[in-house]
Amino acid sequence: MVADNTTESGDISEMDTKPSTSEEGGGGCGNGDVEVAAEVTAPPEEAGKWKVAVMFLCFYGFMSSLRPGEAFITPTFLSNEKNFTTEQVTNEITPVLTYSYMAVLVPAFLLTDLLRYKPVLIIQGISQVIIWLLMLLGTSLLAMQFMEFFYGITMACRVAYSSYIFSLVSPGLYQRVAGYSRTSVLLGVFTSSVLGQLFMSFGNFGDSRYFALSAICLGFVSFGLLLSLCLPWPKRSLFFNQTRDQEQKALASPVATKAELDQMNPKDNAPPPPSRPGWKDSIFIQMLMEVGNVVRRPNLRLWSLWWIFNSTGYYLVLFYVHILWNTIHSATVYNGAVEAASTLLSALTSFIAGFVKIRWDVWSELVIGIVTAVQAGLLLLMGTTSNIWVCFLTYVLFRGFYQFLVPIATFQIASSLTRELCALVFGINTFLGTILKTVISLIFADKRGLALDVHGQFFVYFIYLSLLTLIYFVCAAMVITRHYRNQLREGGGANEQQVVTTELSPMAASSSEAEPLSNGMCAKA
């Protein structure tokens, strides 16, 4: 079992690059020039403070990703040290991760903003310590289920790290610092996988190698917990704390205006007393009301649905692939090496995606359909082969193709929304995907459902992606046909000359292109 640290859950760090989620976008409408100017005129000591804070946060991201034993959790379950059966791991232990993740995702998302990130990172660190204590000392089925429960908590809390960094700098620096934070995590994941594989291949611990590896992980995550206690506490966040600041300004501003008017005209033109903003005026509630308008946009709807449905298949494969490897060849334990290779390929394909220039409003469905079809074929080969090296290779390619589409989806969603609205959209997409994962796990994996073995589950995932492929191709045919019909009707290539292909760079959309939404807020055009 392994969870992908490189995407996550809607990881806001990808948004400017990512999501939040605007995993990154800009800060709001029409204020970009002011905030950039503020950044430029900031005193040298202030600039030094944010640089130090970002460096420390990136160091924390790297160290908290160092868990060399994570790629070997499933082999540990099935080893003589724990002595669980494949059926227990597949149908009783692993499904708890999905249930836990779904249960804590929304509270973690809200508490991250309400408590301003740091407490949630501390909770994540405590959960990591509990996980590896249970891996080190636990021997019962219940103990391992509790381990999976806390693993779900750590997955849900990752949003705190990915969004934390945006509270440290002005919007003009979002894209740069998002790259720093994501690189630190990727480097940590790669280093962790390599260290784990080196330990398993060359460590001379005999039958206690999994115990020793768990002890090493416990040391790393304990250090990560100490680092989280030293993180600076941000003064603002996306939703709740930002709203408080706005309310204070709203209350203070009318008072000053009233005093000035009283001096100029004591009896006339007195403004009405200020009214305290109600709960309906909070940014979070306004964002919820605006989501309905967002889903009416075809491109946003398409990529949000991709995020929900394709990420479901992707993470289910990640959760169960190590069980598949152990079933095919239990003596070959190269989990760390394979995870390291897949991380490198994922980083490479994500980088390549940034240079793709096509008309996404026309070709999105076709590109998604082709990639999903390839993934479905890789899953079929992965689930039917008896050669462990073929299984390793197909897994690496499967992850690489998915990661190729992640930055594209991130840009297509984030580039047209404010940062706050984008964060909410990605949060909703992630939550809906988690519900779908839970339903599929409950039906096909859980012992209370069909309790399929791992090969049966991978065949289900193949059918699932095949159905998605068919839907994408049908939609692609409709969109492309409609495009060329409109082109012929409107004068052949006249339209084509006016259309410029778009490149995956959120910086291409400026705040001056923002258009108002129905509730008075704004989204980038």
Side-chain angles (χ1 to χ4, degrees):
M1 175 205 71
V2 63
D4 187 3
N5 294 283
T6 63
T7 344
E8 244 339 255
S9 334
D11 172 13
I12 294 182
S13 63
E14 298 171 2
M15 281 177 218
D16 249 351
T17 98
K18 173 191 188 174
S20 142
T21 74
S22 170
E23 264 133 287
E24 320 161 99
C29 296
N31 61 354
D33 296 336
V34 174
E35 292 177 337
V36 172
E39 170 199 334
V40 173
T41 59
E45 58 272 16
E46 291 297 324
K49 286 182 179 179
W50 76 255
K51 289 180 180 179
V52 171
V54 169
M55 289 175 61
F56 184 78
L57 185 64
C58 290
F59 176 68
Y60 164 78
F62 174 82
M63 293 304 304
S64 63
S65 299
L66 289 181
R67 299 183 293 273
E70 192 166 69
F72 300 93
I73 289 179
T74 297
T76 303
F77 287 155
L78 300 171
S79 68
N80 293 330
E81 296 181 29
K82 299 298 182 185
N83 205 29
F84 293 108
T85 66
T86 302
E87 290 72 22
Q88 286 177 312
V89 176
T90 305
N91 306 128
E92 297 184 59
I93 296 177
T94 304
V96 176
L97 170 60
T98 303
Y99 307 152
S100 169
Y101 185 39
M102 185 191 73
V104 301
L105 181 60
V106 172
F109 179 81
L110 296 178
L111 288 175
T112 291
D113 195 89
L114 183 63
L115 302 179
R116 289 173 293 161
Y117 313 112
K118 181 176 178 176
V120 177
L121 290 176
I122 294 174
I123 292 173
Q124 182 186 46
I126 294 173
S127 298
Q128 289 284 9
V129 170
I130 295 175
I131 287 170
W132 292 104
L133 277 174
L134 290 172
M135 288 297 298
L136 197 64
L137 305 175
T139 57
S140 66
L141 177 65
L142 182 61
M144 295 304 99
Q145 289 175 328
F146 268 111
M147 187 281 295
E148 294 284 6
F149 171 77
F150 284 102
Y151 200 99
I153 293 177
T154 65
M155 286 183 62
C157 290
R158 285 173 187 166
V159 66
Y161 173 79
S162 61
S163 55
Y164 183 111
I165 201 161
F166 298 104
S167 69
L168 301 178
V169 299
S170 61
L173 294 168
Y174 281 170
Q175 186 172 15
R176 190 196 310 175
V177 298
Y180 296 158
S181 65
R182 180 163 174 77
T183 300
S184 66
V185 171
L186 284 172
L187 184 59
V189 172
F190 174 77
T191 304
S192 178
S193 300
V194 171
L195 289 176
Q197 188 59 59
L198 290 174
F199 179 88
M200 293 298 295
S201 298
F202 302 105
N204 188 20
F205 288 89
D207 294 336
S208 300
R209 57 180 180 171
Y210 291 115
F211 181 88
L213 189 57
S214 296
I216 293 173
C217 288
L218 180 60
F220 276 123
V221 299
S222 297
F223 181 63
L225 175 59
L226 292 177
L227 289 178
S228 68
L229 295 172
C230 300
L231 289 170
W233 204 318
K235 297 179 180 179
R236 59 188 174 88
S237 58
L238 279 178
F239 300 113
F240 299 106
N241 296 291
Q242 186 184 96
T243 302
R244 291 190 191 119
D245 294 340
Q246 291 177 348
E247 289 176 354
Q248 291 172 1
K249 292 178 182 179
L251 290 173
S253 178
V255 172
T257 303
K258 182 179 186 301
E260 294 173 358
L261 290 175
D262 285 344
Q263 293 178 4
M264 299 172 58
N265 216 341
K267 297 181 179 180
D268 301 329
N269 299 324
S275 59
R276 185 176 182 83
W279 63 270
K280 290 185 178 181
D281 297 316
S282 72
I283 293 178
F284 184 70
I285 297 300
Q286 291 182 42
M287 292 297 99
L288 284 175
M289 296 171 63
E290 196 54 51
V291 169
N293 295 326
V294 170
V295 298
R296 296 189 183 98
R297 303 183 183 185
N299 212 40
L300 291 179
R301 183 170 61 246
L302 169 66
W303 286 102
S304 291
L305 291 174
W306 175 86
W307 196 279
I308 294 168
F309 289 100
N310 286 61
S311 68
T312 294
Y314 175 77
Y315 280 104
L316 286 172
V317 170
L318 262 61
F319 292 164
Y320 290 93
V321 71
H322 289 180
I323 303 175
L324 179 67
W325 295 348
N326 193 86
T327 302
I328 294 174
H329 202 300
S330 59
T332 304
V333 185
Y334 290 110
N335 296 23
V338 177
E339 293 297 344
S342 65
T343 299
L344 281 181
L345 182 62
S346 297
L348 178 62
T349 55
S350 295
F351 178 77
I352 292 173
F355 296 92
V356 176
K357 293 184 179 182
I358 63 174
R359 291 193 57 184
W360 290 107
D361 59 325
V362 178
W363 304 107
S364 290
E365 290 85 354
L366 182 60
V367 172
I368 294 175
I370 292 173
V371 172
T372 306
V374 173
Q375 287 185 293
L378 291 171
L379 268 186
L380 180 62
L381 183 57
M382 196 187 309
T384 56
T385 184
S386 59
N387 187 316
I388 188 62
W389 298 106
V390 172
C391 196
F392 286 159
L393 178 61
T394 52
Y395 170 73
V396 172
L397 294 175
F398 178 85
R399 282 193 63 184
F401 277 106
Y402 175 83
Q403 293 295 337
F404 171 76
L405 289 181
V406 167
I408 298 174
T410 292
F411 172 74
Q412 293 297 318
I413 297 174
S415 63
S416 60
L417 302 176
T418 63
R419 185 164 54 97
E420 295 81 5
L421 183 56
C422 193
L424 188 59
V425 169
F426 273 93
I428 292 173
N429 291 347
T430 301
F431 180 64
L432 293 177
T434 303
I435 292 177
L436 184 56
K437 285 195 291 285
T438 301
V439 172
I440 293 176
S441 296
L442 189 60
I443 295 174
F444 297 104
D446 199 287
K447 70 172 185 177
R448 292 164 291 186
L450 297 178
L452 298 180
D453 62 17
V454 68
H455 287 280
Q457 289 186 47
F458 269 71
F459 185 70
V460 170
Y461 305 153
F462 160 71
I463 294 176
Y464 174 80
L465 288 185
S466 298
L467 290 174
L468 290 180
T469 299
L470 179 61
I471 295 172
Y472 290 137
F473 280 144
V474 170
C475 293
M478 296 172 60
V479 170
I480 295 173
T481 300
R482 182 169 60 247
H483 166 70
Y484 282 106
R485 282 180 177 174
N486 292 339
Q487 201 174 62
L488 292 173
R489 186 180 305 116
E490 296 174 9
N495 265 4
E496 196 70 35
Q497 297 174 358
Q498 299 175 3
V499 178
V500 179
T501 55
T502 57
E503 182 178 0
L504 289 183
S505 175
M507 299 299 291
S510 66
S511 59
S512 63
E513 296 171 335
E515 62 181 14
L517 295 174
S518 62
N519 62 1
M521 305 192 66
C522 54
K524 298 174 190 173

